[in-house]
Amino acid sequence: MRANPESLEEKIRAVLAARERKRISKNRLIPAAVLLPLFKKAGEPYVLLTKRTEKVKAHKGEISFPGGVYDRADRSLEETALRESFEEIGLKRSDVEILGCLDDVETMTRYLIRPYVGIFPYPYTFVVNGEEIEEMIEVPLRSILRKGAFETRSLRSGTGRQTIYSYRFGRHLIWGATARILKQLVDLIRDSSGGRE
């Protein structure tokens, strides 16, 4: 996909603002939020992902977005995503421009994640929390947008069949909620482009 990063940023903002976001309200789920961080490197849009350490309580070694569980001190789930991004990688909330929000995502581990899409300036001086984050991964958005980037399979669950997405970037396998969130963004961008890459 060849895209002017400014127009892509505006397109993402417009698409997120124009749609009705799907909300899930289940009292038994743990509310959480993540930031899907975008940045421009050499004029090209990238997504920033993190690899969790083996020291964390949940999702050890998995590829994820910065984020975590809602805290009562947070005024909103957006604040949760920004607070956790600062705690994990030192990304200051004042340096993030929120473009909008994707659909809520329920995980098999009983979390209810609200994903926020934001853009930050690059290059950036990160302060990585080594207890939580082992590695930061910069993924060109064009590689996620290419046809066939996502593998899909269908699994039977208690509520019927569920589609599982995965995406491989180099030696990294992105799956689970992170892959579902990325797939949401990809589908929105493609739909707004009339299916063109």
Side-chain angles (χ1 to χ4, degrees):
M1 171 177 178
R2 294 180 59 83
N4 178 325
E6 283 76 25
S7 67
L8 181 63
E9 178 184 334
E10 291 164 10
K11 181 187 292 183
I12 291 171
R13 186 195 314 277
V15 165
L16 293 176
R19 63 191 289 272
E20 177 101 18
R21 184 171 57 80
K22 292 178 188 165
R23 297 170 184 257
I24 299 173
S25 62
K26 291 189 180 176
N27 293 335
R28 294 181 185 166
L29 299 180
I30 302 163
V34 297
L35 178 69
L36 192 163
L38 300 172
F39 63 95
K40 298 169 200 167
K41 182 177 179 181
E44 183 177 358
Y46 278 72
V47 175
L48 181 68
L49 296 167
T50 59
K51 181 177 181 185
R52 295 169 65 80
T53 67
E54 295 295 328
K55 302 173 188 175
V56 293
K57 289 181 185 177
H59 307 290
K60 297 176 188 289
E62 291 182 13
I63 309 298
S64 64
F65 296 111
V69 175
Y70 173 78
D71 187 285
R72 287 182 184 172
D74 296 335
R75 289 173 294 186
S76 65
L77 283 168
E78 180 178 318
E79 187 168 313
T80 300
L82 293 169
R83 173 183 54 77
E84 288 281 350
S85 296
F86 179 71
E87 291 174 5
E88 291 178 11
I89 60 174
L91 182 57
K92 296 176 185 173
R93 64 185 74 201
S94 58
D95 292 333
V96 179
E97 180 185 354
I98 297 294
L99 302 178
C101 192
L102 293 165
D103 295 341
D104 291 349
V105 173
E106 181 180 348
T107 72
M108 290 185 290
T109 48
R110 309 301 297 158
Y111 289 96
L112 181 58
I113 301 172
R114 183 156 300 161
Y116 291 87
V117 181
I119 191 163
F120 68 92
Y122 186 89
Y124 197 86
T125 305
F126 295 103
V127 181
V128 178
N129 179 339
E131 290 295 309
E132 294 188 46
I133 305 301
E134 179 180 309
E135 182 181 354
M136 296 206 302
I137 305 157
E138 299 178 354
V139 183
L141 188 57
R142 66 177 157 73
S143 74
I144 303 169
L145 287 167
R146 79 182 192 281
K147 282 187 180 173
F150 287 87
E151 293 181 21
T152 60
R153 59 191 174 113
S154 182
L155 290 181
R156 191 174 303 233
S157 68
T159 57
R161 298 201 73 79
Q162 184 178 8
T163 302
I164 306 296
Y165 297 102
S166 63
Y167 164 72
R168 186 168 290 281
F169 180 70
R171 60 189 169 81
H172 299 294
L173 179 66
I174 295 99
W175 60 281
T178 303
R180 276 190 281 158
I181 292 166
L182 277 176
K183 183 75 167 58
Q184 269 193 66
L185 181 66
V186 163
D187 289 346
L188 286 171
I189 293 171
R190 283 185 177 155
D191 289 349
S192 70
S193 304
R196 295 188 313 275
E197 299 220 20

